[in-house]
Structure formats: structure tokens, C-alpha cells
Amino acid sequence: MTTFSIPDMSCVHCKATVEQTIHALDPAAEIEFDMAARRISVKSSAEAARVQAALAEAGYPATPA
């Protein structure tokens, strides 16, 4: 599982966008959200760098946490 910090993720809409972005890369991805800490943990067949790039493109720059 890879953990990312996403400082701009602050609401339900943000969560939905992040979830859709990751599921577009890997529909079977498992995502755990910690909205208070603005972090996600992702278990996916997609490479972490691809997930990170897709999130940035969607407007939610992420850094490994």
C-alpha cells in the first residue's frame, strides 16, 4: 500500500474526484481516506508514480507520505 499526502483534499467533492481519478487507472484499486490528515493509502496495480501524476493532472498534487 502506498500513502500519499494531498493537502488540497478537503471535502467530499475532493474525495470523489481523487477516487474517480485512481479508479480510472485501476478499477480494482483499494483506497483508504483519512480526510482529517488529508492522506490516502492506495493498494493498486498502477505504479505509484502514475497515480501521483494522475492526481496532479486532476488538480490534487500528491506527495508520498
Side-chain angles (χ1 to χ4, degrees):
M1 210 168 245
T2 305
T3 302
F4 294 101
S5 174
I6 308 176
D8 296 337
M9 182 179 68
S10 61
C11 66
V12 175
H13 177 322
C14 299
K15 178 182 176 184
T17 300
V18 167
E19 196 166 33
Q20 289 172 355
T21 299
I22 294 170
H23 282 147
L25 294 175
D26 176 8
E30 296 176 27
I31 311 164
E32 295 176 9
F33 288 87
D34 182 344
M35 295 300 289
R38 297 182 183 192
R39 290 182 183 205
I40 61 169
S41 294
V42 180
K43 183 177 181 181
S44 173
S45 61
E47 294 178 12
R50 257 184 92 203
V51 171
Q52 191 173 2
L55 289 170
E57 189 174 310
Y60 293 94
T63 56

